[in-house]
């Protein structure tokens, strides 16, 4: 077990965040249990966690336009990905960059 003096921190910060917990069913009857965390850390993107599968991804509006991105990231089919995309388009913003 490493001692504290042996750790090489690349970053360590604390900030206030906002987390939205959402459960919904799409027409396919696939249930989504999500936690969407908004933070300044990801340049305007949101941390989206699928609570059923234990999968997290940092997602912005640009990622939603990427073909196959949601399918591969969340291990879901095309129909379920379209339902998730429809929801996420309402809650994730465009990325922004700071100095």
């Amino acid at each position: 077990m490493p001692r504290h003096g042996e750790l090489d921190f690349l970053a360590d910060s604390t900030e206030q965040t906002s987390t939205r917990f959402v459960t919904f069913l799409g027409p396919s009857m696939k249930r989504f249990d999500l936690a969407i965390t908004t933070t300044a850390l990801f340049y305007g993107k949101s941390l989206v966690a699928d609570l059923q599968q234990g999968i997290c991804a940092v997602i912005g509006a640009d990622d939603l336009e990427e073909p196959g991105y949601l399918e591969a990231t969340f291990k879901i089919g095309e129909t379920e990905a379209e339902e998730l995309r429809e929801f996420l388009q309402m809650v994730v913003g465009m990325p922004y960059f700071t100095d």
Side-chain angles (χ1 to χ4, degrees):
M1 186 158 145
R3 294 186 317 262
H4 181 69
E6 296 175 12
L7 300 178
D8 187 12
F9 288 89
L10 300 178
D12 184 3
S13 62
T14 303
E15 70 169 284
Q16 294 285 36
T17 63
S18 171
T19 302
R20 177 178 175 184
F21 295 93
V22 179
T23 298
F24 70 91
L25 292 173
S28 70
M29 299 306 290
K30 161 80 170 126
R31 177 179 167 156
F32 291 94
D33 291 302
L34 305 174
I36 301 102
T37 300
T38 304
T39 171
L41 185 63
F42 302 122
Y43 306 104
K45 294 187 177 192
S46 298
L47 178 63
V48 179
D50 179 325
L51 301 174
Q52 289 183 17
Q53 298 188 79
I55 297 172
C56 296
V58 176
I59 297 178
D62 58 329
D63 299 308
L64 299 178
E65 301 302 319
E66 188 70 33
Y69 178 78
L70 293 178
E71 292 89 334
T73 301
F74 291 102
K75 299 174 178 48
I76 54 178
E78 189 175 322
T79 300
E80 293 83 6
E82 188 53 41
E83 295 168 358
L84 180 57
R85 183 175 293 106
E86 183 180 336
F87 169 74
L88 290 176
Q89 285 173 332
M90 295 185 290
V91 297
V92 299
M94 290 300 294
Y96 62 88
F97 300 95
T98 60
D99 291 338

